[in-house]
Amino acid sequence: MVSPPRRWRPAWIWMAAVLLAGSAFAADDAIPLAPGTSVEGRLAAGEVEVYEASVAGDRRLVVAVEQRGIDVVVEARPSAGETLAADAPLYRQGPELLLLPPGAGSWRIALRSASPAVGPGAYRLTLDELSDADPARLAASSAMSAGGRHAHRGGAEALRLAAARYGEAVARWRQLGDRRLAGQALLAVAVLNRRLNEPRQALEGYREALELLRAAGDEAGEAVALNDLGFVHWQLGEHGRARSLLERAIERQRARGDRYGEAVARGNLCLVAHSEGRLRQAADCYRRALELVAGAGELEFEAAVHGSLGTAYLNLGESELARDSYLRALDLRRAAGDRGGEARALNNLAVLYRSLGEVQQAVLYYGQALEAFEEQGDLRWQARTLNNLGYAYYSLGELERARALLRQALPLRRRVVDRRGEAATSRNLGLVESGLGHHEVAAAHLRRALELSRARGDRRGTAAALIALGRERRRLGATVAAIDDFVQALIAAEESGDRGQRAEALHQIGDARLELGEASAAVLSLRAALEERRRIRDPAGQAETLTALAAAEERLGRPADALARIEEALEVIESLRAGIADPHLRATFSGVRRRAYELHLALLMKRHAAEPRGGFDRAALESSERARARTLLELLEEAGAGLRRGASPELAERRRRLLERLGLKAQRQLELLSAGASPDEARIAELELFAVLAELERVEAEIRRLNPSYAALTRPPPIAVAEIQQLLDGDDLLLEYALGEEKSFLWAVGRDSLQSFELPGRAAIEAAARRVYGQLS
C-alpha cells in the first residue's frame, strides 16, 4: 500500500498526471463552438478533442466541462499568447472550469484524458459568456478556475494556493445559492488537504461537502464524498466509521450503475479488512473489485488492486499467488507508462523475495525500484527503498554496504518528516553498527529510534527499540541497565498486545539475570517466556528459551533437569525443517542451534566427570556427531547437491514452492497468535499450515520413492560410537574436537577404546592455532 492518491482513488492507485506527447492543438479538424452552446462527447485514454471558439471585444468566456467517468484536462490557447491549463483534483466526476481572459479574439480548446491508463468516459462541454455586470458569478468562476490551474501545476506550494482559491470559490458559490458547485469546490479543498497530509482538515471539508451535495441532489458527488470520507477515516485508523461510509458509497454507486465507482469504493473497503487482519476476506474483496472493471481498460486501477492482492496473499503465506499478483501489477504499470507505479511494484516484489530468503533477487528489485524513484523525485519512496535495500544487505552480512545505504535513507526520512520511517531506519542502523563492533554508535541510533517511537505513541516500535537497546547494553557490559530496558519493553508489549514481543522481553530479562548470577530469578522469567512462546507456537523461540533454562537449571545444581531441558530444545531444533526462509531468522536459529549443542555437550561431559562409568562421554560424542550431521545437511540443502537426483523437475519445483509456503504460513500463524487473534482465526491458520505440511510430505514421499538415497541425505541417523569404532583398523586413532565458548572437548576413539579430554574455550584454541600456523608459514 502506498501514498494517498489524487482524490478518490484508493491509496494504492496514485499516479501523477502523464502529459501526452506532441501538441494537443495540432488537429486541423477543430470543432467550432459558439458561446452559449454545449456539446457532449466521449474521450478515451490517449485521445484529444479540439474545439475552436471566437469572441468579440472584451467579453469573457468560461469553459465548463462536466466530467462523467473520465478525468479531463482542459487546455486553451489563444491565437497569440500562452496556453492556459486546468485540472481540478476532482477525479472522473464533477466540473472543470477555465476562465479565459478577454481580448484574445479566438481560442483553441483541447480536452484530453489526464491519464493514459484508464477506460473511456463521457463529458459535457459548455462555453458561456460572463459579463462584468454579474461580478459575483465572475468572481466565483475566477476562483474556481485559478484553483484548477494551480492544482494542474502540482507541488506542495501550488496545492496550497489551489486550496485557498477553491475555498474562496466555496464562499462565492454559497452567496449565489449554488449548493452543487459549492459542494464540488469543497470536495476539491478536502482532496487537496488530504494530499497535503492534513487528514483532519480534509474530514471537515468532506463532511460539509457531503451535506451540500446531498441537498443539491448530486448523487455522483455524494457517492464520491462518502468514499473519500471512508478512505480518510481508514487512514486515521477509524475502521468502524470507515466501513460504514464505504458500504454506503458502494450502495450509491451500484444504484447509479457506476461499476468503476463501485470498484473503487469496494477497493477501499478491502483495505479496511486487510488492515484488520481479515486477509481471506480482503483477498476475496480485491478479486471482486477486479471483476467489476474487467476488460474496461482501467490499467492503473487493476495494477493497484493486484498489488494489494499480492500483499494479502503474502500475508497469508501464499507465495506463488503473491508473486503472480505482483508480476501482473508490474506488467500493468509498465503498459500504462507509470514509472512511479512500476517502482512500487518492484519494491513489492523485493519484499516478497526477501521474505522467501532470496535476498539477492530482492536486492536486484530494490535497486531497480530505487532508480525509478530517483527519476520521479519521490523522496519518501527513495528513503523507504534505501532502508529496505540496506536491511537486505545487512541480512547478507554486507555491513559496510548496508550502513552506506541506511545513512542515505536517514536524512531523507527526516526531510519528508516520516517519523515512523526514521525510527525504523535508526533501529536498522543500530543493528548494523553493532555488527561492525561500533557499540556506542549503535546505542545512540537505538536511543534515537526509541525517542521517535515514544513520541508517536508507537508501543510496538517502542518495545522493539527497547529490546534492541537492551541487547546492545549487554554487549557493552551494562547488564543491569539492559534489564531496565527489557522491563520497559515488557510493559510496552503488554500495552500493545504483542505477545511475541512480550515473550522476547521475558526471555531477555531471564537471560540477563542468568548472566548476573541470579539463576532463581532467571528461571522464573524464562519459564514465563517459554509458556508464552508455546502459546504462540514459536518453535525457534522455544528452543532458545529452553536452552537458556537448561543453563539456569545447571547453575542451580539440578543437572538432571538441565539435561531434560536441553534435550527438549534439541528435539524442537531437529523437528524444524531446514528451509527457514527469512535470512535473519535463519541466522538467529543457527546461533540457537550451536548454543544448544554446546550446552548439551558440556552437561553430558560434566555428568561424565561425576559418573565416569555412566557412558555420558559416549553420549556426548554421539551428540557431537549429530550436530555435525545437521550442519552437513544444511550445507547440502543450501547447495541442493544431489538431494533430489532422480526426481522430476516438476517434483523438485513443487517441493521448493511448498517449502516457501510452509515458511510463510508458519510466520503468519506466529504473527496471528502474537497479536492475540481469535480462536477461529488461529484454528484456520493452523489448518492451512497442516494442509501445506501434508502436501509437502506427499511430495517428499514421492521423491524418496524415486530416489531411496534421498532419505539418508535429508534425515541422516546419528552415528553411534560402536559404528565409528567398526570403521577403524587396529592401529587407527580418530581425534574428534568440539569447540565451545567456555569449554571445548576432545575424544580419542580407537578400535576398542574411547578417551575424552576437556580443553579451553574456542578463543584460546583458535589463538594457539593461529600462532602455530604463523610459525609454520
Side-chain angles (χ1 to χ4, degrees):
M1 300 171 203
V2 299
S3 53
R6 287 184 48 194
R7 207 186 58 69
W8 63 305
R9 306 182 202 184
W12 21 261
I13 302 188
W14 163 251
M15 175 179 173
V18 179
L19 299 180
L20 300 179
S23 172
F25 304 99
D28 293 327
D29 53 348
I31 303 169
L33 188 64
T37 60
S38 297
V39 62
E40 295 189 359
R42 290 186 63 77
L43 198 63
E47 293 181 349
V48 179
E49 290 287 355
V50 181
Y51 296 87
E52 192 168 29
S54 299
V55 58
D58 292 335
R59 288 183 297 173
R60 298 173 182 266
L61 292 179
V62 61
V63 180
V65 178
E66 188 66 33
Q67 302 169 127
R68 297 172 180 172
I70 191 163
D71 187 12
V72 177
V73 176
V74 183
E75 297 177 345
R77 188 175 70 186
S79 53
E82 294 183 359
T83 300
L84 307 178
D87 184 15
L90 303 172
Y91 187 68
R92 300 176 72 105
Q93 301 288 343
E96 290 274 11
L97 263 67
L98 184 59
L99 183 64
L100 307 182
S106 63
W107 291 86
R108 279 207 165 192
I109 300 163
L111 308 183
R112 61 176 176 80
S113 169
S115 168
V118 296
Y123 66 87
R124 179 183 179 85
L125 168 62
T126 301
L127 193 63
D128 281 330
E129 288 187 10
L130 288 179
S131 168
D132 290 338
D134 190 356
R137 185 166 296 278
L138 182 60
S141 299
S142 177
M144 197 88 155
S145 173
R149 291 178 64 184
H150 285 307
H152 178 67
R153 282 171 45 213
E157 186 57 34
L159 296 185
R160 289 188 179 90
L161 291 172
R165 297 310 305 270
Y166 276 116
E168 181 185 339
V170 172
R172 300 288 187 180
W173 292 123
R174 276 180 163 161
Q175 290 173 359
L176 290 166
D178 193 325
R179 289 182 294 188
R180 179 177 182 271
L181 285 178
Q184 291 287 352
L186 258 174
L187 268 183
V189 173
V191 171
L192 292 164
N193 280 330
R194 194 188 69 198
R195 289 174 61 186
L196 290 166
N197 295 316
E198 297 171 354
R200 292 295 177 187
Q201 289 181 249
L203 277 183
E204 294 177 14
Y206 282 132
R207 288 172 183 148
E208 196 173 350
L210 178 62
E211 296 303 318
L212 285 169
L213 294 166
R214 182 181 292 140
D218 186 344
E219 295 181 355
E222 181 185 354
V224 168
L226 283 167
N227 176 79
D228 281 21
L229 264 174
F231 177 71
V232 176
H233 278 292
W234 169 76
Q235 282 186 309
L236 293 170
E238 299 165 0
H239 292 168
R241 184 62 179 151
R243 188 183 305 108
S244 173
L245 289 162
L246 291 168
E247 286 172 349
R248 287 166 60 192
I250 290 170
E251 291 174 7
R252 297 290 194 282
Q253 298 289 26
R254 187 182 297 131
R256 296 181 59 248
D258 186 342
R259 291 175 65 85
Y260 178 83
E262 181 185 348
V264 170
R266 186 172 295 279
N268 284 337
L269 188 62
C270 303
L271 291 177
V272 176
H274 199 153
S275 299
E276 292 176 338
R278 295 181 286 116
L279 299 175
R280 286 290 174 198
Q281 185 176 340
D284 292 342
C285 181
Y286 289 133
R287 287 193 293 269
R288 174 59 182 148
L290 287 169
E291 290 170 2
L292 284 167
V293 293
E298 300 289 347
L299 300 186
E300 67 177 283
F301 179 81
E302 289 185 48
V305 180
H306 274 295
S308 289
L309 179 59
T311 302
Y313 282 138
L314 177 59
N315 296 152
L316 284 165
E318 301 289 350
S319 57
E320 285 302 311
L321 292 174
R323 185 185 286 111
D324 290 345
S325 290
Y326 283 151
L327 288 172
R328 178 62 178 153
L330 180 61
D331 289 342
L332 289 166
R333 293 294 190 189
R334 285 172 170 166
D338 179 4
R339 187 70 168 136
E342 177 186 345
R344 286 187 286 278
L346 287 165
N347 182 78
N348 286 340
L349 277 165
V351 171
L352 167 67
Y353 282 110
R354 190 178 67 80
S355 299
L356 295 175
E358 299 178 35
V359 183
Q360 292 288 1
Q361 188 67 32
V363 166
L364 174 65
Y365 280 124
Y366 278 137
Q368 293 177 12
L370 181 61
E371 181 182 341
F373 288 132
E374 288 172 346
E375 287 178 9
Q376 296 288 309
D378 190 331
L379 298 182
R380 183 173 293 271
W381 273 90
Q382 281 182 53
R384 183 180 298 187
T385 308
L386 282 165
N387 176 79
N388 292 345
L389 188 55
Y391 188 79
Y393 278 116
Y394 167 71
S395 299
L396 288 170
E398 297 189 31
L399 302 185
E400 292 287 357
R401 198 163 183 179
R403 180 172 61 175
L405 290 161
L406 292 167
R407 282 178 170 177
Q408 291 180 60
L410 193 59
L412 288 177
R413 295 280 207 191
R414 291 169 179 162
R415 183 173 173 184
V416 299
V417 199
D418 181 0
R419 299 302 184 204
R420 183 176 183 178
E422 184 182 348
T425 301
S426 294
R427 196 162 58 245
N428 288 341
L429 262 172
L431 295 173
V432 170
E433 294 288 4
S434 178
L436 289 167
H438 307 152
H439 297 295
E440 292 290 350
V441 177
H445 282 301
L446 294 171
R447 284 193 293 270
R448 176 59 177 163
L450 176 60
E451 176 189 336
L452 289 165
S453 296
R454 279 178 167 164
R456 294 183 65 256
D458 180 356
R459 307 307 295 163
R460 293 187 69 194
T462 296
L466 281 165
I467 290 170
L469 184 59
R471 293 169 70 108
E472 194 57 33
R473 282 185 168 144
R474 284 186 68 187
R475 294 186 185 98
L476 291 168
T479 306
V480 174
I483 290 175
D484 183 57
D485 289 331
F486 297 142
V487 170
Q488 291 183 59
L490 178 61
I491 294 169
E494 288 174 343
E495 289 175 351
S496 72
D498 191 314
R499 295 163 72 177
Q501 286 185 333
R502 180 177 186 275
E504 178 64 18
L506 284 166
H507 173 91
Q508 292 297 333
I509 291 169
D511 210 29
R513 294 277 184 206
L514 183 61
E515 183 182 331
L516 292 173
E518 302 170 10
S520 296
V523 166
L524 293 176
S525 291
L526 291 169
R527 284 176 178 170
L530 180 61
E531 181 182 348
E532 194 70 84
R533 282 176 158 169
R534 282 175 171 159
R535 188 177 293 120
I536 64 175
R537 297 173 192 174
D538 175 10
Q542 288 175 50
E544 184 180 22
T545 302
L546 282 164
T547 302
L549 259 176
E553 298 282 9
E554 193 270 338
R555 292 271 186 93
L556 291 171
R558 299 197 283 255
D561 291 340
L563 202 54
R565 289 291 194 186
I566 199 63
E567 287 177 350
E568 184 182 352
L570 292 176
E571 282 183 22
V572 173
I573 288 170
E574 294 303 326
S575 69
L576 289 171
R577 302 228 167 223
I580 298 175
D582 183 83
H584 188 61
L585 177 59
R586 189 163 60 225
T588 301
F589 182 71
S590 177
V592 171
R593 180 190 59 76
R594 185 178 63 252
R595 183 182 177 191
Y597 273 109
E598 287 181 4
L599 182 57
H600 189 225
L601 288 177
L603 289 171
L604 287 170
M605 293 303 291
K606 188 172 184 179
R607 292 289 297 275
H608 169 68
E611 305 173 47
R613 298 183 181 278
F616 292 106
D617 56 343
R618 286 176 171 264
L621 176 56
E622 289 169 359
S623 179
S624 177
E625 281 295 317
R626 187 182 183 192
R628 293 174 194 277
R630 182 57 58 189
T631 303
L632 175 61
L633 169 61
E634 289 169 358
L635 291 172
L636 289 171
E637 190 68 25
E638 284 292 322
L643 293 187
R644 288 162 291 280
R645 188 179 297 116
S648 67
E650 291 77 15
L651 277 176
E653 178 64 13
R654 280 180 63 193
R655 179 181 181 276
R656 184 191 66 79
R657 292 183 179 184
L658 286 166
L659 282 172
E660 287 181 354
R661 289 180 63 197
L662 184 66
L664 292 174
K665 291 288 186 186
Q667 181 180 347
R668 169 64 183 157
Q669 185 187 45
L670 177 60
E671 290 170 352
L672 277 175
L673 293 171
S674 295
S678 68
D680 284 345
E681 288 177 318
R683 181 178 56 81
I684 291 170
E686 185 175 49
L687 290 174
E688 289 178 351
L689 180 66
F690 286 155
V692 176
L693 188 56
E695 188 177 352
L696 178 61
E697 288 172 348
R698 288 194 294 272
V699 170
E700 291 199 328
E702 180 65 11
I703 294 174
R704 284 193 296 275
R705 185 184 67 80
L706 295 170
N707 181 7
S709 64
Y710 173 79
L713 282 168
T714 57
R715 295 179 177 83
I719 189 167
V721 173
E723 293 175 286
I724 295 174
Q725 290 175 323
Q726 288 174 9
L727 299 173
L728 301 174
D729 292 331
D731 296 328
D732 291 338
L733 186 68
L734 171 68
L735 299 179
E736 180 163 331
Y737 293 84
L739 302 185
E741 293 299 323
E742 297 181 6
K743 296 178 182 179
S744 300
F745 302 98
L746 166 65
W747 293 270
V749 186
R751 178 78 180 184
D752 300 308
S753 63
L754 171 64
Q755 289 180 285
S756 58
F757 305 89
E758 182 177 306
L759 303 176
R762 177 184 288 108
I765 292 176
E766 288 179 347
R770 279 194 293 269
R771 286 196 300 272
V772 172
Y773 178 78
Q775 292 168 359
L776 291 173
S777 60

